[in-house]
């Protein structure tokens, strides 16, 4: 990254992000996650499709010192419910469409909907 920050790092469908862009996006999301309580010995659940956003979400979680719990949105609902209960995540990162199909981890676990306009606006300020 330091040697060639403007080199393309992630390509997914029509998205092409440089190392600099990936790092900036991950930093913004990491700051949002820290506000939600992420940090060492915490877990953040990720229920995302395969995308460039998934790469930055993983990197963001690692930047906070937390661990990520990957959730395959195609898993049966009962399996997802078990994984969410067992991992007791500090936050759940997902998209609006996927969130509608997921069980609720608990009443206090915030959902970070990466494609929601409110989240996009918040990330731009961080």
């Amino acid at each position: 990254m330091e040697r060639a920050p403007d080199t393309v790092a992630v390509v997914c469908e029509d998205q092409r992000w440089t190392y600099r862009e990936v790092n900036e996006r991950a930093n913004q999301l990491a700051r949002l996650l820290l506000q939600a309580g992420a940090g060492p010995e915490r877990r953040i659940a990720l229920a995302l499709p395969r995308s460039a956003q998934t790469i930055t979400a993983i990197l963001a979680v690692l930047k906070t010192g937390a661990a990520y719990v990957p959730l395959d949105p195609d898993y049966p609902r009962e399996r997802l419910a078990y994984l969410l209960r067992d991992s007791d995540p500090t936050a759940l990162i997902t998209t609006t469409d996927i969130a509608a199909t997921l069980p609720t981890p608990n009443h206090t676990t915030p959902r970070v909907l990466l494609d929601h306009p409110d989240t996009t606006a918040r990330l731009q300020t961080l």
Side-chain angles (χ1 to χ4, degrees):
M1 154 119 174
E2 290 178 10
R3 291 187 190 172
D6 297 317
T7 301
V8 174
V10 175
V11 176
C12 187
E13 296 177 4
D14 62 342
Q15 292 179 319
R16 300 176 75 78
W17 292 347
T18 65
Y19 285 100
R20 182 187 323 271
E21 290 170 317
V22 170
N23 190 52
E24 287 172 358
R25 290 170 189 264
N27 286 342
Q28 290 170 327
L29 183 55
R31 286 190 283 274
L32 183 75
L33 294 173
L34 288 168
Q35 291 175 358
E41 301 196 27
R42 300 290 175 101
R43 289 160 304 285
I44 306 296
L46 301 177
L48 296 167
R50 291 175 193 233
S51 67
Q53 285 184 322
T54 302
I55 302 298
T56 58
I58 292 169
L59 185 56
V61 171
L62 297 175
K63 285 177 177 261
T64 69
Y68 68 91
V69 179
L71 302 175
D72 186 335
D74 293 329
Y75 278 175
R77 188 173 173 83
E78 299 79 26
R79 175 74 175 147
L80 292 170
Y82 169 77
L83 291 169
L84 287 166
R85 272 192 320 274
D86 190 54
S87 65
D88 189 26
T90 301
L92 169 61
I93 301 173
T94 190
T95 63
T96 305
D97 289 343
I98 293 173
T101 67
L102 294 174
T104 304
N106 69 44
H107 298 294
T108 61
T109 303
R111 290 183 178 208
V112 178
L113 304 175
L114 293 181
D115 60 343
H116 194 278
D118 291 346
T119 304
T120 304
R122 283 185 67 200
L123 289 172
Q124 295 302 315
T125 66
L126 298 173

